[in-house]
Amino acid sequence: MENQENKRSGEGLQLRRSFGMKESVTITVGQVIGVGLFVTGANVVGLMGNHIILVTIAALLITIYPSLLYAEMGSAVPYSGGTYLYALLGLSKPMGFLAGWNYIIAIISVASSEAFAFTFYFKTMFSAFGIELPVSDVVLACLCILVFTVMNVRGVEMTGRMSNAFMFFFWGVAIIWFIMMIPNINLPHFVQKPSFMTEGPQSFIANVAMVWWCFAGFEACCSMSEEIKYPHINIPRAMALSPFIILAVNLFFQWYLVGIVPTGNLDKLAVATAPYAEAMMTAGILGIPLALLAAGIAFGGGLSTMNSCITTPPRTLFAMARDGMLPQVFTKIHPKYKTPYVSILFLGVIALLLTMTNSVQYVASLSLFADLFFYVIGIISAAGMRKKHPDIHRPYKAPAAGIGIPVSAVIYIIMMTQLGFSAIISGVVWAVFGMVLYFGYRKYKGVEADEETKLVVEILEEPTTEERRKMDQEYKLWRNIVIIAVILSIALYVFPYFVA
């Protein structure tokens, strides 16, 4: 890689560190709370009934250790790129490119899917009162993509504020909805085993793989490490909190699905395109409660995820171009907003094209395969970085890597085998196209052989004593809230067994 030290630390290519821990968490969780929770995860409720808690906890368990690996890598190498950069340093340039290439399409595909999710639930807000909006789903979804692309060009401060606003709006609406729905909860549903539930290890693994998609994106803030203040402190903290926040959110919403839908009708959710709306209509709950739910999902869940998904992939594209893997036009930084605006606009166009296919199923299948592919590369990269760069200062180090890394990689490979044929084919075609592009560009540039990737990590600024005190207080507050939320979400499933 030619003169990578200067590229990493060069004045003209340096991004602005503006995010704190709160923004790191909200961007990460915001990228996750969306189409997975409100579609895929809810579909599994229609397959598992009250046993959904076991599947969701299993999905958490196979997420925890990879999140620790990303906390280690993100805090040690606090630059844009995420999995792409870690594979570049720990494995090889082709594997780094493949990781970044799959990450980009996985997350941009989610942005496209979220645009459709927003569109459906936005329309549901009106249909709850018998009003049908005369607007095409594709037009409304494309408009969302366009607006968020422009907003992201205008700066990460605005992006961070939007993430915070969407997340807090989501929880505000969710709490009101939770309270309104309590009278409609039937506790006997939680002790009744659905007659349609399929048992066996293969079925369980397949369902875990589907629910795991609700956790995919848990490392989102690592792709924006270069824009996070005090990343050696904030990234490990965000990685520690995010998986458990995702768990609590999923369990709370799944609990309401089980509670309001008669056990014999839960199987309708397995094939519903909008399971939460289907659940409320099946239970006969319309009007304000349905409109409130739709508003929370559309604006708090859909737009939050879309915002994060349009924010993070351009930083990976920026990093790949900065490292000479792609044309240098993608390294251009806006002179006023200090954002990689060419990368943002280019991927915004890709998201628009995916949205114009009007095929949520195709876009989702492409995303899921690419997700698992780049996570396998990222997990293995952690071992490679320890071997190739043992002297890099690691503010945080994941424990038991000799066991955790290979076990995590094998688990994720097994989940890839649970995908449908179309998902695998689409993912392979995208990967092959990426490698053709990579080697074609190298040939065009006249690159004959790979040089060993070099890295010079800047000396990170330490917070002042007062800043550190405030950071510690903020983290302790978030940690305590997350602990309470996790305990409460699990207790909700246990409590009915004592009163039934």
Side-chain angles (χ1 to χ4, degrees):
M1 180 171 298
E2 58 180 281
N3 203 13
Q4 179 166 331
E5 299 95 329
N6 293 333
K7 288 186 176 184
R8 288 268 174 226
S9 59
E11 190 74 25
L13 297 181
Q14 198 76 5
L15 300 177
R16 180 182 298 167
R17 295 194 183 276
S18 305
F19 293 147
M21 188 207 72
K22 179 172 61 178
E23 291 77 16
S24 301
V25 170
T26 56
I27 281 181
T28 298
V29 176
Q31 181 169 303
V32 175
I33 297 177
V35 68
L37 168 62
F38 297 119
V39 180
T40 308
N43 289 148
V44 180
V45 175
L47 298 171
M48 297 293 293
N50 57 349
H51 289 70
I52 186 65
I53 183 175
L54 303 178
V55 174
T56 306
I57 290 177
L60 167 74
L61 295 177
I62 61 177
T63 302
I64 290 176
Y65 194 80
S67 72
L68 299 182
L69 294 176
Y70 275 93
E72 174 182 320
M73 295 185 288
S75 59
V77 188
Y79 299 107
S80 291
T83 304
Y84 153 73
L85 178 59
Y86 310 146
L88 190 68
L89 294 169
L91 300 176
S92 65
K93 289 185 178 179
M95 292 303 293
F97 181 89
L98 194 59
W101 188 247
N102 277 279
Y103 173 80
I104 288 171
I105 195 61
I107 305 305
I108 287 298
S109 297
V110 172
S112 177
S113 300
E114 288 299 340
F116 279 110
F118 168 81
T119 297
F120 178 83
Y121 282 104
F122 180 75
K123 287 187 171 183
T124 300
M125 290 170 53
F126 296 90
S127 63
F129 300 104
I131 303 173
E132 298 298 329
L133 294 181
V135 183
S136 164
D137 289 348
V138 173
V139 170
L140 190 54
C142 286
L143 181 62
C144 290
I145 295 291
L146 184 61
V147 168
F148 277 89
T149 298
V150 173
M151 295 288 279
N152 272 272
V153 168
R154 292 179 62 84
V156 294
E157 291 92 344
M158 182 175 294
T159 299
R161 288 196 297 268
M162 286 193 298
S163 290
N164 289 339
F166 288 140
M167 182 60 63
F168 292 122
F169 173 80
F170 170 80
W171 274 110
V173 171
I175 290 172
I176 295 173
W177 183 79
F178 287 161
I179 295 173
M180 292 179 66
M181 287 296 98
I182 288 177
N184 297 287
I185 297 296
N186 292 284
L187 294 183
H189 293 177
F190 293 92
V191 296
Q192 297 170 356
K193 179 181 177 181
S195 59
F196 53 80
M197 193 176 99
T198 304
E199 298 182 339
Q202 185 172 359
S203 175
F204 185 80
I205 293 172
N207 288 328
V208 170
M210 291 176 66
V211 172
W212 172 85
W213 202 35
C214 301
F215 289 79
F218 60 83
E219 83 311 334
C221 69
C222 291
S223 294
M224 303 187 68
S225 299
E226 202 163 330
E227 294 165 276
I228 295 176
K229 294 184 295 186
Y230 313 123
H232 54 302
I233 300 172
N234 286 324
I235 289 179
R237 290 179 173 183
M239 287 293 92
L241 294 173
S242 296
F244 292 95
I245 295 175
I246 298 166
L247 171 74
V249 172
N250 276 271
L251 288 182
F252 277 127
F253 276 91
Q254 292 163 353
W255 185 81
Y256 275 90
L257 282 184
V258 175
I260 65 176
V261 179
T263 304
N265 293 330
L266 274 175
D267 56 338
K268 293 181 180 180
L269 306 184
V271 295
T273 55
Y276 282 87
E278 179 70 28
M280 295 191 70
M281 289 185 285
T282 300
I285 306 171
L286 305 174
I288 292 177
L290 179 57
L292 189 64
L293 172 72
I297 294 176
F299 292 98
L303 293 188
S304 175
T305 306
M306 197 189 317
N307 178 43
S308 296
C309 291
I310 292 177
T311 299
T312 53
R315 274 68 185 179
T316 298
L317 184 61
F318 166 84
M320 293 170 72
R322 182 172 60 181
D323 294 337
M325 301 260 186
L326 291 170
Q328 293 301 293
V329 66
F330 294 115
T331 65
K332 287 185 177 294
I333 295 177
H334 197 284
K336 179 179 179 180
Y337 302 119
K338 301 301 180 184
T339 56
Y341 72 103
V342 174
S343 294
I344 294 172
L345 292 174
F346 174 75
L347 293 182
V349 171
I350 298 296
L352 284 172
L353 292 175
L354 287 171
T355 304
M356 289 177 185
T357 64
N358 198 22
S359 176
V360 178
Q361 183 177 4
Y362 169 75
V363 174
S365 66
L366 179 60
S367 174
L368 188 52
F369 180 88
D371 266 329
L372 289 166
F373 199 163
F374 82 73
Y375 277 124
V376 171
I377 295 174
I379 290 167
I380 297 174
S381 297
M385 283 185 63
R386 288 194 177 192
K387 182 177 180 180
K388 288 188 174 183
H389 303 277
D391 298 328
I392 290 180
H393 174 60
R394 291 173 169 81
Y396 171 81
K397 196 169 184 178
I403 298 175
I405 290 176
V407 169
S408 296
V410 168
I411 289 174
Y412 279 47
I413 291 172
I414 290 174
M415 287 199 296
M416 290 177 71
T417 67
Q418 304 302 308
L419 302 178
F421 182 74
S422 61
I424 295 175
I425 292 298
S426 298
V428 170
V429 168
W430 174 258
V432 170
F433 173 67
M435 295 312 295
V436 169
L437 179 64
Y438 168 75
F439 286 108
Y441 184 70
R442 282 169 55 87
K443 185 175 182 180
Y444 170 75
K445 296 292 290 184
V447 178
E448 297 295 335
D450 283 332
E451 298 176 6
E452 183 179 352
T453 302
K454 299 177 182 178
L455 177 69
V456 175
V457 180
E458 63 180 299
I459 298 176
L460 297 173
E461 180 184 2
E462 292 291 337
T464 64
T465 302
E466 180 63 18
E467 285 178 317
R468 183 60 186 251
R469 184 185 66 80
K470 291 182 179 179
M471 290 169 65
D472 290 343
Q473 286 182 338
E474 180 184 50
Y475 174 64
K476 288 177 182 177
L477 175 63
W478 277 72
R479 183 191 61 191
N480 292 339
I481 292 174
V482 171
I483 290 173
I484 292 172
V486 169
I487 293 174
L488 179 59
S489 65
I490 294 175
L492 287 173
Y493 288 83
V494 177
F495 175 70
Y497 284 91
F498 291 95
V499 298

